[in-house]
Amino acid sequence: MFGILKPYPSPLISGRGIDLDFPLLAGCLALLGLGLVMITSASSEVAAVQSGNPLYHMFRHLVYVVLGLVACGATMMVPIATWQRMGFMMLLGAFGLLVLVLVPGIGREVNGSMRWIGFSFFNVQPSEIAKVFVVIYLAGYLVRRQTEVRETWMGFFKPFIVLLPMAALLLMEPDFGATVVMMGAAAAMLFLGGVGLFRFSLMVVLAVVAVFVLVQAQPYRMARLITFTDPWSDQFGSGYQLTQALIAFGRGEWLGVGLGNSVQKQFYLPEAHTDFVFSVLAEELGVVGSLATIALFVFVTVRALYIGLWAEKAKQFFAAYMAFGLAFLWIGQFLINIGVNVGLLPTKGLTLPFLSYGGSSLVICCACVGLLLRIEWESRTHLGSEEHEFKESDFAEETSHGR
């Protein structure tokens, strides 16, 4: 099978065999393994009642992990220059998916939101795909219009001609959390792309005003905003989910109640294996386990940022911007999910990368790992230029892995 792919060298096929950034890979695999363990624990009671098999969600998640690893390997095989050429097509694809999910009969409504396109045995969440496609397109834009972005207002505003309609489609689902993550990653990419401090500050002010208007526009958003500041005032109503999550954190104490011994997962805490899996982790593994998990997330995201920095030093600017954007997507989802679990942010319905149950999120996260591994390999070997003609001698002369 690998013989077929030999004309397309990659971190999986090189003169030194498998040539990956093992620190990033190890960190992500550790998160995947921890996620599988926690989903098995958090979903056992719900799965036993709903399907008669306490391991139902674990088996499904294991399938998603395998699909994610396949997606990771597939993205590693594709040169970064190919993603750059496909940027505009991906943008159109993102718009198409976000429109399709709103079409009755195609989009699937769950808990009042049209966020999924349903198939026979699995669902696809277009917003997860769209966020990555936007990052790829914006990375290409920052390379093509670098001088314009840095020096003119028009270069600064042009990306929002694309971003604002996409944000509107996300809000129609509604998916406020995905909108915040996407716009936040885009803003960070623009800042790293050289947008002046004054223009960036203006963008931040406008974003804060927009968030305030959006919160005021929907009563349920205002209710969430009010409730999360004092969930105990309505602990059996709008504050129920957060109070149960806080109880889980309280029960965990320093070392936790033990793996599998959570009480909150027994129908007290809704969405225990999806949005609130970190609360179950905190209850079973305690403060020590929670901080270790956060440290692992910090390591993975910082490593992703360093990969972007290495690509920038290698003058592979598209790859650098893409790595920064993917890292900020992870950082945004991580901060929002943890903030919701501990009561610092209102409920947003965002999964925790690598840990939460959900096929679309997990597969896309693994695909992003493949992209980052490819970026790191191309920046280190300097074989990432589309003008470079690959030869066997290239691999014989590769430098050792020094990072």
Side-chain angles (χ1 to χ4, degrees):
M1 182 181 73
F2 288 106
I4 299 174
L5 298 172
K6 194 166 184 178
Y8 307 98
S10 75
L12 297 177
I13 306 172
S14 68
R16 293 186 289 117
I18 297 177
D19 187 17
L20 301 172
D21 182 54
F22 285 102
L24 176 67
L25 182 63
C28 293
L29 289 177
L31 286 172
L32 284 174
L34 179 61
L36 183 61
V37 170
M38 292 312 307
I39 284 167
T40 303
S41 174
S43 67
S44 59
E45 300 295 334
V46 174
V49 171
Q50 293 180 347
S51 67
N53 179 6
L55 299 180
Y56 173 77
H57 291 300
M58 185 273 283
F59 287 129
R60 284 182 64 90
H61 190 76
L62 189 58
V63 171
Y64 296 145
V65 170
V66 173
L67 291 175
L69 293 176
V70 171
C72 178
T75 52
M76 271 192 284
M77 304 301 293
V78 181
I80 296 301
T82 301
W83 297 105
Q84 186 172 4
R85 288 194 298 268
M86 295 172 57
F88 184 71
M89 296 301 296
M90 289 183 163
L91 181 69
L92 294 179
F95 271 109
L97 288 171
L98 292 178
V99 170
L100 278 177
V101 77
L102 298 174
V103 177
I106 297 179
R108 182 185 176 191
E109 184 174 350
V110 178
N111 296 329
S113 298
M114 295 277 285
R115 300 181 185 177
W116 294 267
I117 296 177
F119 294 91
S120 57
F121 56 92
F122 68 96
N123 298 316
V124 174
Q125 191 170 359
S127 61
E128 296 291 336
I129 302 173
K131 286 184 294 187
V132 176
F133 284 4
V134 165
V135 164
I136 294 173
Y137 172 78
L138 189 55
Y141 173 82
L142 290 174
V143 172
R144 293 192 307 272
R145 306 287 185 179
Q146 188 174 62
T147 303
E148 190 177 354
V149 168
R150 293 180 176 181
E151 297 179 0
T152 69
W153 283 93
M154 186 56 66
F156 169 67
F157 281 119
K158 277 182 180 179
F160 293 97
I161 298 175
V162 171
L163 292 172
L164 292 178
M166 189 164 289
L169 289 172
L170 287 170
L171 291 172
M172 289 172 67
E173 295 183 6
D175 195 343
F176 188 66
T179 307
V180 171
V181 170
M182 183 190 74
M183 297 300 285
M189 290 176 68
L190 286 169
F191 181 71
L192 293 176
V195 170
L197 185 60
F198 174 73
R199 282 176 286 164
F200 183 78
S201 300
L202 178 62
M203 177 176 61
V204 171
V205 171
L206 291 175
V208 171
V209 172
V211 169
F212 178 78
V213 171
L214 289 171
V215 169
Q216 292 281 352
Q218 293 291 339
Y220 80 92
R221 293 189 188 127
M222 180 57 69
R224 284 183 178 180
L225 188 63
I226 295 173
T227 301
F228 97 94
T229 59
D230 185 15
W232 302 101
S233 62
D234 190 15
Q235 66 182 89
F236 297 110
S238 57
Y240 177 77
Q241 199 168 26
L242 179 54
T243 56
Q244 297 304 313
L246 294 176
I247 290 172
F249 277 94
R251 293 192 75 254
E253 298 184 348
W254 286 102
L255 298 177
V257 298
L259 191 62
N261 294 327
S262 168
V263 172
Q264 294 305 106
K265 70 181 182 182
Q266 299 178 14
F267 305 99
Y268 291 102
L269 179 61
E271 311 294 341
H273 59 295
T274 55
D275 300 346
F276 283 84
V277 68
F278 190 76
S279 297
V280 177
L281 184 150
E283 183 181 4
E284 296 187 349
L285 303 183
V287 172
V288 174
S290 301
L291 292 179
T293 303
I294 292 174
L296 196 54
F297 269 112
V298 171
F299 171 77
V300 167
T301 53
V302 170
R303 188 72 180 183
L305 291 172
Y306 266 106
I307 287 174
L309 181 61
W310 294 329
E312 189 174 26
K313 288 182 177 179
K315 300 189 183 303
Q316 298 177 3
F317 297 109
F318 171 78
Y321 291 135
M322 186 162 67
F324 291 142
L326 296 177
F328 284 120
L329 288 180
W330 286 354
I331 291 169
Q333 284 197 225
F334 166 69
L335 290 177
I336 290 176
N337 184 276
I338 299 295
V340 167
N341 274 255
V342 300
L344 293 176
L345 293 171
T347 304
K348 285 287 172 288
L350 276 178
T351 56
L352 187 60
F354 298 104
L355 259 69
S356 292
Y357 178 81
S360 296
S361 174
L362 186 64
V363 172
I364 292 299
C365 281
C366 290
C368 291
V369 174
L371 289 172
L372 289 167
L373 291 173
R374 178 81 194 195
I375 291 169
E376 189 277 336
W377 178 76
E378 289 195 3
S379 66
R380 175 163 44 86
T381 59
H382 300 285
L383 297 177
S385 174
E386 60 181 331
E387 292 84 12
H388 187 97
E389 183 179 352
F390 292 102
K391 301 176 183 177
E392 289 295 328
S393 59
D394 289 330
F395 301 99
E397 297 172 0
E398 284 179 7
T399 57
S400 60
H401 198 308
R403 294 173 182 167

